[in-house]
Amino acid sequence: MDTELQPQASVSTLSMTLGLFALGIAWRNAALLLAFPAAIGEGILGATGLLWLFLLLRYIRQVITSTNGAARECILQLGNPFLTLVPITTSLAAVALRPYAPFPACILLFLGVAGQLLFSSYHIGGQWHGRTPVEMETPAMYMPTIGANFASAIALGAFGYAHWGYLFFGAGFLSWMSLESSFLHHLRADEPLHPQKRPLLGIQLAPSFVGSSAYLSCNGGQIDAVVLGLVGYGLLNLLFMARLMTWVLRVGLSMSLWAFSFAMASMVNVGFRIWHAGFDDSFVLLGQFFTIFGTAVILLLLAETALLLARSFSKQ
């Protein structure tokens, strides 16, 4: 195959639905825990499901109609770590659908979990051959093994398969531990991230809060030392990210900022759990802060997307 070929289909737009599905699941939990209106969570999940179908079918069409040829385009896509967004969002779509159509939801769950395992086996296994290009050393490398396994744990826990969920939580957690120090060394010692890739640092913020959501999905929602430890590391990274935001945003608004959405939506979910646990007033305030801050960031991302779309249409 011609090594000069470049992939033409873009799967990264599915990152929108990743954060929105997680936000809808968080607000669905809030309806059970804190008596918020169920319509909020279900409305978010319903709208996100329609958007997910549209973006997924659009991506499949791009692959099929690529001038590279469908077969070559598929092979090229396998080198893209963001391809794991397809099985991740499929697993979360299964959680959204479960109360309304349990059997189709189970099919989506199987496709999501099996799909992410197959993709990570191919994608990460190939990197173990050695000489992985340095340009691949971005936060996106967290997606196939960390984000995908945590999402599988969230989905399996929601379906009542808690023990299987813990297996995937462990896979995601230990994958995170194995990558974290290596990537942080890369950030500190190597050339700065290209300005266009800086929004991907939002993925760096995700493992703490997404991992917390995964663990809570499996343990029945109990706030324990594991959750508090993960939240503590998440808060530390949130402070680091606040320091870096002017640097990240220096190139202006872009759809890449949706990389923050999975972390923010998972923060909302953890916030509702901490709020409900109500250990003391300070923890209630912490839970409320997570809920308000995470939801507000995603609303800002939606506003940014609307602005970018309006600019795009105005130029046509």
Side-chain angles (χ1 to χ4, degrees):
M1 189 177 70
D2 186 352
T3 57
E4 296 301 317
L5 286 176
Q6 295 296 318
Q8 295 179 348
S10 176
V11 72
S12 59
T13 52
L14 279 172
S15 61
M16 291 179 60
T17 62
L18 177 59
L20 291 172
F21 269 135
L23 183 68
I25 292 168
W27 279 93
R28 174 184 280 175
N29 291 335
L32 298 173
L33 297 173
L34 298 164
F36 279 93
I40 298 175
E42 301 310 315
I44 295 171
L45 290 172
T48 305
L50 293 175
L51 178 62
W52 175 71
L53 281 174
F54 169 75
L55 293 175
L56 183 61
L57 292 173
R58 178 173 172 266
Y59 169 67
I60 292 170
R61 181 177 178 275
Q62 288 177 343
V63 171
I64 293 172
T65 60
S66 169
T67 57
N68 291 328
R72 288 186 176 184
E73 183 66 22
C74 285
I75 293 172
L76 290 169
Q77 289 293 318
L78 288 172
N80 180 2
F82 285 106
L83 184 60
T84 198
L85 284 169
V86 174
I88 290 177
T89 54
T90 300
S91 295
L92 297 182
V95 178
L97 186 62
R98 181 174 176 265
Y100 305 101
F103 182 69
C106 285
I107 294 174
L108 288 179
L109 175 67
F110 174 79
L111 291 175
V113 173
Q116 67 94 352
L117 287 173
L118 289 172
F119 174 70
S120 63
S121 298
Y122 177 88
H123 184 80
I124 302 301
Q127 293 180 2
W128 285 10
H129 290 156
R131 298 187 179 180
T132 300
V134 69
E135 58 267 20
M136 294 184 67
E137 297 287 325
T138 73
M141 66 184 186
Y142 282 44
M143 296 294 292
T145 55
I146 303 171
N149 281 301
F150 281 162
S152 293
I154 290 170
L156 287 163
F159 275 75
Y161 303 123
H163 290 89
W164 283 103
Y166 279 125
L167 291 181
F168 284 90
F169 170 78
F173 181 82
L174 293 175
S175 295
W176 175 28
M177 294 297 99
S178 70
L179 285 174
E180 185 82 348
S181 60
S182 173
F183 180 66
L184 291 179
H185 174 76
H186 171 69
L187 283 180
R188 289 191 297 263
D190 294 345
E191 291 295 317
L193 282 173
H194 188 280
Q196 298 297 330
K197 293 182 178 180
R198 289 175 192 172
L200 297 181
L201 282 172
I203 300 173
Q204 174 69 25
L205 185 60
S208 301
F209 294 109
V210 178
S212 298
S213 286
Y215 183 78
L216 287 165
S217 182
C218 297
N219 81 345
Q222 299 300 310
I223 302 293
D224 60 16
V226 175
V227 176
L228 294 178
L230 290 172
V231 168
Y233 188 64
L235 273 171
L236 186 63
N237 276 274
L238 185 62
L239 293 174
F240 296 160
M241 205 62 63
R243 163 69 173 78
L244 290 169
M245 282 312 297
T246 55
W247 182 69
V248 170
L249 294 172
R250 194 165 295 169
V251 295
L253 300 178
S254 74
M255 290 296 291
S256 297
L257 289 170
W258 278 96
F260 284 88
S261 66
F262 202 13
M264 292 296 104
S266 298
M267 179 191 293
V268 173
N269 186 53
V270 173
F272 280 130
R273 295 288 186 181
I274 292 175
W275 182 354
H276 176 255
F279 295 130
D280 55 46
D281 290 343
S282 62
F283 267 85
V284 170
L285 288 173
L286 178 64
Q288 292 172 344
F289 166 74
F290 281 164
T291 298
I292 295 168
F293 182 78
T295 302
V297 170
I298 293 182
L299 289 175
L300 287 173
L301 289 172
L302 287 169
E304 177 220 18
T305 302
L307 178 61
L308 291 173
L309 287 173
R311 288 179 181 176
S312 176
F313 284 127
S314 68
K315 293 177 181 178
Q316 293 179 359

